C-alpha cells in the first residue's frame, strides 16, 4: 500500500453510514461532524472524476476573471515600487535605511525571517502531513507549496541587499578565496545560505514534481483543442468590433501555445504504470527529505540571534520557538490566501471544505500556544538566570520604548488564536480570515521586537531608538507586491489543487467501489479524467 492508496473503508462507504445535512448550521457544509463514528467527506458535490478535472482545469482554461486584471495590475505596480527601492538602495547605499549604531540590523532581517517563516507551512502540509497520511491536506498542499516558493524568493532578496556593498554578496557563498578557505564560514549568515538554499531547492522539486501529472492533463486538454483560435483585445470592445478597436485585437493559437507550454513542463508524462510507480516513490522520498527541513531551516535562521552574546538573544529556546512561530505564521498565510480564492473560484468550496479550514485553525491554536509558552519562558529564564543584563533586556522589551510593539505581538500571537477554542470561531469563515491577518501582523512584530533588542546593548552611551525610513517601508511593501504578483500568476496558469491527489481521496478511487470504472492505476485520471 502506498501513501496514495485511498482508505478502503471510506471508499466503500462503511465509515459514514449516513449523510450529514449540508444545511445544518452546526455542520456548515456537512463536514463539521462531531460524531467520531461518522467520517466527514473530503470532496463535496457528489462529484465524479470527470467533474473534478473539468472544475480545476476550468479555472485556467476559462476566461480570465474580471477581478484578476485589476489585482495583477496593482500587485505588479507595488512589486515595481519594491524594485525601484532596491535599485535606489544599491545606487545610494544602506544609509537610506534607518540603520544606526547599535541597531546595525533592522527591517531587512525582520522581513527576511518573517518571509522564511511564512514558507514553512508548505513543507509541513506537503511533507509531514503526507507522511502521517492526513488526507485533508490534498486540497491545500499545492497552494501551500506555491506559497513556500514565492515566500522564499522574497526572503532571499534581503540578505543580498543588506550587506551594503551588493556587488560583494557573492562572499556569502562558500567560494574558496586565494588562500583556499571559505570566507566567513563561522558566520550564521553563511549558515542561512546553506539552510535556505537547501530548503528552496527541495521545496521547488517537491512542488514541481507534484504538478507533473496535472501538467500532463492540461497538456492533453489543450492538445484536444489545438486548432481553436482565441481573440485577444480590449476588455471594453463591443461585438462586432468596429474600425480602430478591431485593429487593436489579435488572434493567437492560444491552445497550441498552451499545449507546448504544458507539454514541456510535463516532461513526457504518459500516465503509465511505470511513471506512477516512479512518481510515488520519488514523492515519498522527497517528503522524507523535506521533513527535517521544517525543523532545521528556521533553527538555523534563529542562530543568527542565538549564537550572539547579546542579552535577550543568547538563549537556547530560540530554535524550537522559531520553528513553532514559523508554522504558526505559515498556516495563517495559507488561510489568508486560500479563503478569498475559495470564495472567488467556482467549485473550490467542494474541495476546500469547512473541515479542512477547521483543522488549520486547530494547528494555529496549538502553535500559537507554543509561541505564548516561549514568551513566558523567556521571562522566566531571564529571572531564574539571575543575570541583571538579561533581566533588564526583557524588562525594556516589555516596558521600554518599544512596549507598543511587544504588546501588539502578544495580543496578535497569543491572545487572538485562543478564540479558536470556540466552535463559532472555527466555523465563521470571515472571522477566520480576519484572525489569519492578525496573526501575520503579530508574527512580523515578533521579528521586529527581537531586532529592537539591539537598541539597548551593554553600553548605555550607545543606546538609541530605531525608526524606519520611507525606503525601509516601501522595500517591505514592494516584497509583498512581488509575492502577490507571483501568486496571481500561479493561480492563473497552473493548477491550484492537486487533481490526482484529490481524486485519490474520493470513494470512487477504490477498485472495490461500485462507481469505480478505471482500468489501470487508481489515480483517478481514468473515467474521463482528461
Amino acid at each position: 500500500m502506498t501513501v496514495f492508496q485511498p482508505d478502503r473503508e471510506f471508499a466503500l462507504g462503511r465509515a459514514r453510514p449516513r449523510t450529514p445535512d449540508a444545511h445544518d448550521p452546526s455542520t456548515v457544509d456537512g463536514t463539521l461532524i462531531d460524531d467520531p463514528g461518522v467520517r466527514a467527506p473530503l470532496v463535496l458535490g457528489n462529484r465524479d472524476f470527470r467533474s473534478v478535472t473539468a472544475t480545476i482545469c476550468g479555472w485556467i482554461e476559462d476566461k480570465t476573471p474580471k477581478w484578476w486584471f485589476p489585482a495583477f495590475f496593482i500587485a505588479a505596480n507595488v512589486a515595481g515600487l519594491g524594485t525601484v527601492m532596491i535599485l535606489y538602495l544599491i545606487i545610494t547605499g544602506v544609509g537610506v535605511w534607518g540603520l544606526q549604531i547599535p541597531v546595525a540590523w533592522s527591517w531587512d532581517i525582520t522581513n527576511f525571517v518573517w518571509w522564511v517563516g511564512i514558507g514553512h507551512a508548505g513543507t509541513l502540509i506537503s511533507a509531514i502531513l503526507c507522511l502521517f497520511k492526513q488526507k485533508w491536506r490534498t486540497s491545500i498542499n499545492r497552494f501551500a507549496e506555491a506559497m513556500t516558493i514565492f515566500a522564499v524568493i522574497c526572503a532571499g532578496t534581503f540578505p543580498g541587499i543588506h550587506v551594503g556593498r551588493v556587488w560583494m554578496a557573492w562572499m556569502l557563498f562558500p567560494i574558496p578565496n586565494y588562500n583556499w578557505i571559505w570566507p566567513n564560514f563561522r558566520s550564521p549568515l553563511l549558515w542561512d545560505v546553506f539552510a535556505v538554499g537547501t530548503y528552496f531547492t527541495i521545496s521547488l522539486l517537491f512542488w514541481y514534481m507534484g504538478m507533473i501529472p496535472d501538467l500532463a492533463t492540461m497538456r492533453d486538454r489543450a492538445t484536444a483543442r489545438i486548432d481553436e483560435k482565441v481573440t485577444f483585445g480590449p476588455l471594453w470592445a463591443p461585438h462586432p468590433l468596429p474600425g480602430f478597436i478591431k485593429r487593436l485585437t489579435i488572434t493567437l493559437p492560444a491552445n497550441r501555445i498552451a499545449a507546448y507550454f504544458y507539454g514541456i513542463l510535463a516532461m513526457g508524462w504518459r500516465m503509465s504504470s511505470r511513471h506512477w510507480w516512479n512518481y510515488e516513490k520519488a514523492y515519498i522520498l522527497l517528503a522524507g527529505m523535506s521533513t527535517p527541513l521544517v525543523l532545521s531551516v528556521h533553527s538555523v535562521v534563529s542562530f543568527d540571534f542565538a549564537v550572539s552574546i547579546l542579552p535577550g538573544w543568547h538563549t537556547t529556546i530560540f530554535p524550537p520557538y522559531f520553528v513553532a512561530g514559523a508554522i504558526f505564521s505559515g498556516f495563517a498565510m495559507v488561510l489568508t490566501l486560500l479563503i478569498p480564492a475559495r470564495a472567488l473560484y467556482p467549485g473550490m468550496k467542494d474541495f476546500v471544505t469547512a473541515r479542512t479550514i477547521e483543522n488549520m485553525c486547530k494547528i494555529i491554536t496549538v502553535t500559537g500556544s507554543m509561541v505564548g509558552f516561549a514568551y513566558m519562558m523567556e521571562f522566566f529564564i531571564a529571572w531564574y538566570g539571575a543575570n541583571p543584563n538579561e533581566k533588564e533586556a526583557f524588562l525594556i522589551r516589555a516596558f521600554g520604548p518599544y512596549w507598543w510593539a511587544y504588546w501588539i505581538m502578544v495580543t496578535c500571537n497569543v491572545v487572538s488564536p485562543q478564540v479558536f477554542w470556540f466552535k463559532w470561531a472555527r466555523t465563521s469563515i470571515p472571522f477566520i480570515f480576519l484572525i489569519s491577518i492578525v496573526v501575520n501582523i503579530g508574527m512580523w512584530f515578533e521579528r521586529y521586537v527581537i531586532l529592537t533588542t539591539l537598541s539597548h546593548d551593554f553600553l548605555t552611551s550607545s543606546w538609541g531608538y530605531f525608526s524606519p525610513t520611507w525606503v525601509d517601508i516601501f522595500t517591505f511593501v514592494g516584497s509583498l507586491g512581488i509575492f502577490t504578483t507571483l501568486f496571481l500568476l500561479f493561480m492563473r496558469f497552473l493548477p491550484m489543487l492537486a487533481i490526482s491527489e484529490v481524486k485519490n481521496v474520493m470513494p470512487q478511487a477504490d477498485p472495490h467501489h461500485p462507481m469505480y470504472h478505471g482500468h489501470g492505476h487508481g489515480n483517478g485520471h481514468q473515467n474521463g479524467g482528461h
Side-chain angles (χ1 to χ4, degrees):
M1 179 182 293
T2 70
V3 295
F4 298 97
Q5 183 65 31
D7 187 332
R8 185 181 179 190
E9 293 299 317
F10 174 54
L12 293 175
R14 297 171 185 166
R16 48 187 181 98
R18 64 181 185 271
T19 302
D21 184 4
H23 301 288
D24 182 2
S26 64
T27 61
V28 186
D29 56 1
T31 59
L32 298 181
I33 306 169
D34 294 328
D35 186 354
V38 179
R39 181 169 298 180
L42 297 173
V43 178
L44 304 176
N46 296 320
R47 292 181 174 273
D48 57 11
F49 292 158
R50 185 184 297 275
S51 70
V52 171
T53 303
T55 301
I56 298 176
C57 293
W59 299 333
I60 305 171
E61 297 167 344
D62 294 344
K63 188 177 179 181
T64 305
K66 293 181 179 180
W67 59 265
W68 191 89
F69 284 108
F72 181 78
F73 177 80
I74 295 172
N77 278 275
V78 175
L81 175 64
T83 305
V84 170
M85 291 297 103
I86 293 174
L87 292 175
Y88 179 67
L89 169 75
I90 294 173
I91 295 171
T92 310
V94 292
V96 299
W97 282 346
L99 301 175
Q100 56 175 311
I101 299 300
V103 186
W105 287 356
S106 59
W107 278 37
D108 47 335
I109 300 300
T110 301
N111 299 333
F112 165 72
V113 179
W114 186 71
W115 278 119
V116 172
I118 282 176
H120 262 54
T123 304
L124 178 72
I125 293 173
S126 298
I128 296 181
L129 296 185
C130 174
L131 294 178
F132 282 96
K133 299 183 180 180
Q134 297 296 308
K135 296 181 176 63
W136 60 269
R137 62 172 277 281
T138 57
S139 60
I140 58 173
N141 64 326
R142 182 72 51 75
F143 240 81
E145 291 165 7
M147 182 195 72
T148 293
I149 302 301
F150 306 144
V152 175
I153 289 174
C154 293
T157 61
F158 290 98
I161 62 177
H162 96 287
V163 296
R165 293 176 294 173
V166 180
W167 51 90
M168 300 297 291
W170 59 271
M171 293 192 68
L172 290 170
F173 297 91
I175 302 174
N177 61 11
Y178 60 89
N179 288 327
W180 295 100
I181 61 174
W182 284 357
N184 297 326
F185 189 70
R186 289 178 292 180
S187 170
L189 296 179
L190 181 60
W191 309 344
D192 284 346
V193 174
F194 281 97
V196 177
T198 303
Y199 182 62
F200 178 77
T201 303
I202 297 297
S203 298
L204 182 63
L205 290 174
F206 204 17
W207 178 57
Y208 174 61
M209 194 193 69
M211 280 196 299
I212 289 178
D214 299 342
L215 293 170
T217 299
M218 296 298 303
R219 173 201 63 197
D220 296 343
R221 289 172 65 91
T223 303
R225 306 185 307 273
I226 199 166
D227 294 327
E228 296 180 11
K229 304 291 185 180
V230 179
T231 300
F232 297 89
L235 297 177
W236 62 87
H239 298 280
L241 298 174
F244 73 97
I245 294 182
K246 186 173 183 179
R247 289 192 292 271
L248 296 177
T249 63
I250 57 175
T251 302
L252 293 177
N255 291 307
R256 183 177 297 275
I257 296 173
Y260 282 111
F261 172 74
Y262 295 117
I264 293 173
L265 294 179
M267 300 178 66
W269 181 275
R270 300 189 307 275
M271 307 293 177
S272 68
S273 297
R274 180 176 294 276
H275 285 182
W276 279 109
W277 186 82
N278 290 327
Y279 170 82
E280 292 184 7
K281 181 171 64 173
Y283 198 92
I284 198 68
L285 285 174
L286 280 175
M289 294 171 61
S290 301
T291 299
L293 293 177
V294 175
L295 302 176
S296 66
V297 173
H298 227 54
S299 296
V300 172
V301 171
S302 73
F303 292 162
D304 292 349
F305 313 101
V307 299
S308 70
I309 61 173
L310 191 70
W313 283 11
H314 189 62
T315 172
T316 56
I317 200 175
F318 264 30
Y321 159 38
F322 268 52
V323 171
I327 298 171
F328 181 54
S329 61
F331 268 81
M333 182 59 79
V334 172
L335 285 173
T336 302
L337 299 170
L338 187 65
I339 289 175
R342 183 176 179 267
L344 292 170
Y345 283 93
M348 186 175 284
K349 292 182 180 180
D350 290 344
F351 308 113
V352 184
T353 63
R355 171 69 70 181
T356 299
I357 295 178
E358 185 192 43
N359 289 338
M360 298 178 70
C361 292
K362 292 177 180 178
I363 293 176
I364 288 177
T365 304
V366 171
T367 51
S369 301
M370 294 170 66
V371 169
F373 176 77
Y375 294 162
M376 292 188 293
M377 284 299 100
E378 285 184 316
F379 276 87
F380 172 77
I381 294 301
W383 167 78
Y384 188 73
N387 185 331
N389 292 322
E390 192 80 12
K391 182 179 179 180
E392 185 71 17
F394 281 98
L395 288 176
I396 292 175
R397 181 179 291 183
F399 305 106
Y402 297 99
W403 65 268
W404 53 274
Y406 181 83
W407 292 109
I408 289 176
M409 173 192 77
V410 171
T411 303
C412 295
N413 295 343
V414 181
V415 178
S416 68
Q418 303 309 315
V419 297
F420 290 141
W421 287 101
F422 304 99
K423 186 172 182 178
W424 66 264
R426 302 194 306 270
T427 56
S428 174
I429 303 301
F431 185 77
I432 294 172
F433 178 68
L434 175 63
I435 294 297
S436 70
I437 295 176
V438 169
V439 168
N440 287 320
I441 294 172
M443 287 307 298
W444 187 91
F445 271 100
E446 178 194 290
R447 280 73 164 113
Y448 179 72
V449 166
I450 292 174
L451 264 297
T452 58
T453 304
L454 287 171
S455 64
H456 291 76
D457 60 4
F458 293 103
L459 298 176
T460 56
S461 61
S462 62
W463 286 7
Y465 187 87
F466 167 77
S467 297
T469 65
W470 59 273
V471 181
D472 282 309
I473 297 172
F474 286 128
T475 302
F476 172 62
V477 173
S479 69
L480 294 173
I482 294 171
F483 176 82
T484 307
T485 301
L486 294 173
F487 205 86
L488 286 172
L489 291 173
F490 159 73
M491 296 171 69
R492 185 66 192 95
F493 296 107
L494 293 174
M496 287 187 286
L497 305 184
I499 302 174
S500 57
E501 294 190 40
V502 169
K503 292 177 180 179
N504 269 291
V505 300
M506 295 172 62
Q508 299 92 317
D510 191 280
H512 302 283
H513 192 275
M515 293 181 62
Y516 178 81
H517 298 292
H519 303 283
H521 193 284
N523 59 77
H525 280 281
Q526 296 82 20
N527 190 26
H530 294 296

